[in-house]
Amino acid sequence: MYSPNSLFFKSIIMQQQPFSTNGSSTSFDDKIKKAAMKSSQLMHLFETALKDIYWAEKALVKVTPRMIEKATDEDLAWSLTKHLSETEAHIVRAEEIFELLNVPAEAVKCEAMSGLIREMEVIIDTCEEGAMRDAGIIAAMQKIEHYEIATYGTMRQFAVTLKLNDVVDLIDLSLQEEKASNEKLSEVAMDAINIEAAETTEK
Ligand code: FE
Ligand code: FE
């Protein structure tokens, strides 16, 4: 559980700058207060990102089955199916992080993810079935993965700074799965879909 610990800040400040010999304890106290304030602001940013990604992961669990249904390439459908179960695990991990922080789990609408999902839906509704639509699904899905990688990457750095080691470990698991999913989508695109989509256009 997280709780700002003034002893922790004292020890950091004492390591960085030993007590001045003229005995000014006021500036020492000010430094502790500033360190505590920065930490609580960082904690606030972390919680905001957590609520955002919690909403995003839940929205993705709802929309991914439609992507799977509309994908033609077997490898793409398999990758999306695998990542759907990982996304379900990301929701559970986010809930575990809320618990570790002793903060009630709350999803706050992520406007960025909402927009990326809308883009995906337009592609599904307007692209010709087959390789073209598959290429469009991959492109939209990779934007989604990049958003998640950026968010988890930032959250990880905040958690490292806040010395929330258990939280860092949980974020690492989701972050690695997002990166692997993005790489797999690149592979699928390189292997077949983009080549086929280009051939379809040339005909
Ligand atoms: Fe995810
Ligand atoms: Fe993802």
Side-chain angles (χ1 to χ4, degrees):
M1 187 190 298
Y2 169 81
S3 70
N5 182 343
S6 65
L7 274 177
F8 163 67
F9 296 116
K10 274 182 187 167
S11 69
I12 289 180
I13 292 162
M14 285 177 81
Q15 279 165 25
Q16 287 172 348
Q17 194 176 338
F19 270 122
S20 64
T21 45
N22 63 17
S24 169
S25 62
T26 312
S27 75
F28 181 71
D29 287 345
D30 283 350
K31 281 178 183 170
I32 292 170
K33 276 184 203 155
K34 272 186 191 162
M37 207 186 297
K38 276 186 186 167
S39 175
S40 85
Q41 284 169 359
L42 195 61
M43 194 61 207
H44 177 72
L45 285 174
F46 182 88
E47 284 177 22
T48 303
L50 181 60
K51 289 171 185 177
D52 170 290
I53 200 73
Y54 187 47
W55 186 94
E57 298 286 17
K58 286 182 154 198
L60 286 168
V61 161
K62 284 186 201 151
V63 77
T64 304
R66 184 149 186 257
M67 292 183 221
I68 296 166
E69 188 197 315
K70 297 291 177 180
T72 306
D73 184 273
E74 272 180 27
D75 212 9
L76 174 59
W78 178 85
S79 304
L80 293 171
T81 305
K82 178 172 181 274
H83 198 55
L84 173 58
S85 66
E86 289 169 348
T87 303
E88 283 162 349
H90 298 173
I91 293 173
V92 174
R93 269 186 216 127
E95 285 164 356
E96 284 170 15
I97 296 171
F98 277 116
E99 220 174 296
L100 283 168
L101 301 179
N102 205 21
V103 169
E106 183 192 354
V108 174
K109 186 177 181 184
C110 169
E111 295 295 346
M113 186 58 78
S114 172
L116 291 172
I117 288 172
R118 250 194 330 272
E119 271 188 32
M120 168 72 77
E121 280 166 347
V122 169
I123 285 168
I124 286 175
D125 292 339
T126 58
C127 272
E128 186 187 320
E129 188 183 341
M132 289 295 290
R133 188 161 68 197
D134 284 355
I137 290 173
I138 291 178
M141 191 62 194
Q142 285 197 292
K143 282 192 196 177
I144 288 170
E145 300 300 23
H146 277 93
Y147 180 83
E148 291 185 292
I149 291 165
T151 303
Y152 282 125
T154 303
M155 285 172 67
R156 185 191 188 282
Q157 197 46 53
F158 287 173
V160 167
T161 306
L162 291 162
K163 300 201 182 304
L164 304 170
N165 298 336
D166 293 348
V167 174
V168 173
D169 291 344
L170 287 169
I171 293 172
D172 268 338
L173 295 172
S174 296
L175 184 56
Q176 291 319 311
E177 285 169 356
E178 305 295 12
K179 286 181 179 173
S181 170
N182 182 54
E183 277 163 26
K184 179 65 190 167
L185 288 167
S186 292
E187 269 173 37
V188 174
M190 297 262 281
D191 283 353
I193 292 166
N194 282 349
I195 298 162
E196 271 182 56
E199 282 170 356
T200 312
T201 319
E202 279 163 17
K203 276 175 197 167

